[in-house]
Coordinates of all heavy atoms in Angstrom, one line a residue:
S1137 N 13.0 91.5 -63.9 CA 13.4 90.9 -62.6 C 14.1 91.9 -61.8 O 14.3 93.1 -62.3 CB 14.5 89.9 -63.0 OG 15.7 90.5 -63.5
A1157 N 29.9 118.1 -64.5 CA 31.3 118.6 -65.0 C 32.5 118.3 -64.2 O 33.5 118.5 -64.7 CB 31.0 120.2 -65.1
P1162 N 33.4 111.0 -63.9 CA 33.6 109.8 -64.6 C 34.0 108.5 -63.7 O 33.6 107.5 -64.1 CB 34.7 110.1 -65.6 CG 34.6 111.6 -65.7 CD 34.4 112.1 -64.4
R1163 N 34.7 108.8 -62.7 CA 35.1 107.6 -61.8 C 33.7 107.0 -61.1 O 33.8 105.8 -61.1 CB 36.2 107.8 -61.0 CG 36.2 108.9 -60.0 CD 37.5 109.1 -59.2 NE 37.6 108.1 -58.1 CZ 38.5 108.2 -57.1 NH1 39.4 109.2 -57.2 NH2 38.6 107.3 -56.2
K1190 N 30.3 84.9 -54.9 CA 30.1 86.4 -54.9 C 31.6 86.9 -55.5 O 32.7 86.6 -55.1 CB 30.3 86.8 -53.3 CG 30.3 88.3 -53.1 CD 30.1 88.7 -51.6 CE 30.3 90.2 -51.5 NZ 30.2 90.6 -50.0
V1198 N 31.4 86.0 -67.4 CA 31.3 85.7 -68.8 C 31.6 84.2 -69.0 O 30.8 83.5 -69.6 CB 32.1 86.5 -69.6 CG1 32.0 86.1 -71.1 CG2 31.5 88.0 -69.6
L1201 N 28.8 81.7 -68.3 CA 27.6 81.5 -69.3 C 27.6 80.2 -70.0 O 28.7 79.8 -70.5 CB 27.6 82.7 -70.1 CG 27.1 84.1 -69.6 CD1 27.6 85.1 -70.6 CD2 25.8 84.1 -69.1
Q1205 N 24.1 79.9 -74.6 CA 23.3 81.0 -74.2 C 22.8 81.8 -75.3 O 23.5 81.8 -76.3 CB 24.2 81.9 -73.2 CG 25.3 82.7 -73.8 CD 24.8 84.1 -74.3 OE1 23.7 84.5 -73.9 NE2 25.5 84.6 -75.4
S1211 N 28.5 89.9 -80.7 CA 29.2 91.2 -80.5 C 29.3 91.8 -79.2 O 30.3 92.4 -78.8 CB 28.6 92.2 -81.6 OG 27.3 92.4 -81.3
D1214 N 31.7 89.8 -77.1 CA 33.1 90.2 -77.5 C 33.6 91.4 -76.8 O 34.7 91.6 -76.2 CB 33.2 90.2 -79.0 CG 33.3 88.9 -79.7 OD1 33.3 88.0 -79.0 OD2 33.1 89.0 -81.0
R1219 N 36.5 94.5 -72.7 CA 36.6 95.5 -71.7 C 36.4 95.0 -70.2 O 36.4 95.8 -69.2 CB 35.6 96.6 -71.9 CG 35.9 97.2 -73.4 CD 34.9 98.4 -73.6 NE 35.4 99.1 -74.7 CZ 34.6 99.2 -75.8 NH1 33.3 98.9 -75.7 NH2 35.0 99.9 -76.8
K1229 N 38.6 100.2 -57.5 CA 39.5 101.5 -57.8 C 38.6 102.9 -57.9 O 39.2 103.9 -57.5 CB 40.4 101.1 -59.0 CG 41.5 100.2 -58.7 CD 42.4 100.1 -60.0 CE 43.5 99.0 -59.7 NZ 44.3 98.9 -61.0
Q1245 N 32.2 104.8 -73.7 CA 32.3 103.6 -74.5 C 31.7 102.5 -73.6 O 31.0 101.6 -74.1 CB 33.7 103.2 -74.9 CG 34.2 104.2 -76.0 CD 35.6 103.8 -76.4 OE1 36.4 103.1 -75.6 NE2 36.2 104.4 -77.4
L1249 N 28.2 99.9 -74.0 CA 28.2 98.5 -73.9 C 27.2 98.1 -72.8 O 26.5 97.1 -73.0 CB 29.6 98.0 -73.5 CG 29.8 96.5 -72.9 CD1 29.3 95.6 -74.1 CD2 31.2 96.3 -72.5
E1261 N 14.3 88.7 -71.2 CA 13.3 88.5 -70.2 C 11.9 88.8 -70.7 O 11.0 88.1 -70.1 CB 13.8 89.3 -69.0 CG 14.8 88.9 -68.2 CD 14.9 89.6 -66.9 OE1 14.3 90.7 -66.7 OE2 15.6 89.1 -66.0
L1287 N 1.7 70.1 -54.8 CA 1.4 70.3 -53.3 C 0.0 69.8 -53.1 O -0.2 69.6 -51.8 CB 1.5 71.7 -52.9 CG 3.0 72.3 -52.9 CD1 2.9 73.8 -52.7 CD2 3.8 71.6 -52.2

Side-chain angles (χ1 to χ4, degrees):
S1137 65
R1163 54 184 283 191
K1190 183 178 177 181
V1198 170
L1201 286 169
Q1205 72 84 27
S1211 60
D1214 289 346
R1219 298 190 174 118
K1229 285 182 181 178
Q1245 289 174 347
L1249 168 60
E1261 277 193 350
L1287 298 174

